[in-house]
Amino acid sequence: TSGTTSLAATTLDVDSADFGGAVVLEINVSITGSSAMDEITLLRFQSTLSSLAPDKFNLSVMNAIDVQFDGTITNLQDLMVTATGTTTFSGDVSLSGTLDVDSDTGITIDTGNITAGTITFEDGVTTATTSTIEANVGALIFNSTITSFNASTDDLTLIGDTVELHGSVDLLKSLNVTGTNGITLEAATITTLDQILLNNAVTLLAATDLSATDIEFASTLAGAFGVMADGETITFANTITDVTAL
């Protein structure tokens, strides 16, 4: 389709869909494969995705292979994506509720800002530009790895009430993490070119090796695991508790 598309059906069963123009939700919408055995080969939003103001609706994408969001996403409540291929965000995202993406072969972030109340990325995330990802109400969770297409040139800023990193991080220029009520690390390695900055209390769920020019733990560090920090400047600004090796 090319002009604006208004979606007013609760369920769309499709083999593929390519929306060339703006898409406006007039109701909570679920887009899924045309049968339980058929996946959506490609679901693409080439322009903006939003709700009909003043409402904020939910979009659920299920049983897809590849999903592409080329434009901005705004004025939605929740966005849930389940795909066996890759999900790509190429425009800024602003949700008031939940962003949950389960995309087996990876999630590509090619935009500067992603904001939602809570955010969960179930699979590996690859950045294609400098980005800020913020959960402005609850948890920001990465259940797999974080890396970059642009070796050591992308800065990544993560903000949440809590931030959880459950996979290794590499190929970033810098990593800046703010978890107001705590940062959880279950990453075997965190490697950046310039800086790793952990602004709040860190709890270890696994032994972690960190490597950067500048590494800073700006608050407490705790957990019954070891930490290896390799950098020119390493700062521990507060107490260290129960860490087995340093």
Side-chain angles (χ1 to χ4, degrees):
T1 62
S2 53
T4 298
T5 300
S6 296
L7 299 182
T10 56
T11 303
L12 297 177
D13 296 331
V14 298
D15 293 319
S16 66
D18 190 345
F19 298 99
V23 173
V24 179
L25 305 184
E26 297 185 1
I27 196 170
N28 295 330
V29 176
S30 175
I31 303 177
T32 188
S34 56
S35 74
M37 298 299 294
D38 293 328
E39 294 178 306
I40 305 170
T41 54
L42 174 65
L43 178 61
R44 184 181 185 189
F45 297 85
Q46 295 189 42
S47 186
T48 59
L49 171 62
S50 64
S51 297
L52 183 64
D55 295 312
K56 295 184 179 182
F57 296 112
N58 305 326
L59 176 63
S60 174
V61 176
M62 298 179 291
N63 204 29
I65 297 178
D66 294 320
V67 182
Q68 297 176 215
F69 298 97
D70 296 343
T72 59
I73 303 172
T74 186
N75 202 41
L76 265 62
Q77 179 71 24
D78 299 336
L79 175 59
M80 319 287 281
V81 178
T82 302
T84 57
T86 302
T87 297
T88 302
F89 295 93
S90 299
D92 285 356
V93 179
S94 179
L95 309 178
S96 57
T98 297
L99 175 62
D100 191 310
V101 184
D102 185 346
S103 196
D104 292 349
T105 60
I107 300 157
T108 298
I109 307 296
D110 190 13
T111 189
N113 293 280
I114 293 180
T115 304
T118 62
I119 301 174
T120 303
F121 295 115
E122 303 287 359
D123 302 284
V125 170
T126 303
T127 65
T129 189
T130 291
S131 298
T132 297
I133 302 175
E134 179 178 4
N136 55 22
V137 175
L140 171 57
I141 302 172
F142 293 82
N143 279 324
S144 188
T145 58
I146 302 173
T147 188
S148 172
F149 286 119
N150 308 312
S152 301
T153 63
D154 293 344
D155 299 311
L156 182 60
T157 300
L158 306 178
I159 303 169
D161 178 65
T162 58
V163 177
E164 301 178 21
L165 303 180
H166 295 286
S168 293
V169 180
D170 67 0
L171 297 182
L172 297 174
K173 182 181 180 183
S174 69
L175 177 66
N176 187 326
V177 183
T178 298
T180 305
N181 285 305
I183 300 166
T184 300
L185 297 185
E186 193 179 17
T189 59
I190 299 177
T191 302
T192 73
L193 178 65
D194 286 348
Q195 184 182 55
I196 299 170
L197 176 57
L198 304 169
N199 291 294
N200 306 94
V202 172
T203 300
L204 301 174
L205 297 184
T208 303
D209 292 349
L210 298 94
S211 178
T213 301
D214 176 25
I215 301 170
E216 181 174 354
F217 291 84
S219 186
T220 58
L221 172 62
F225 298 93
V227 172
M228 180 178 290
D230 179 12
E232 293 181 9
T233 303
I234 301 170
T235 303
F236 295 94
N238 212 311
T239 57
I240 300 172
T241 307
D242 296 330
V243 174
T244 58
L246 188 63

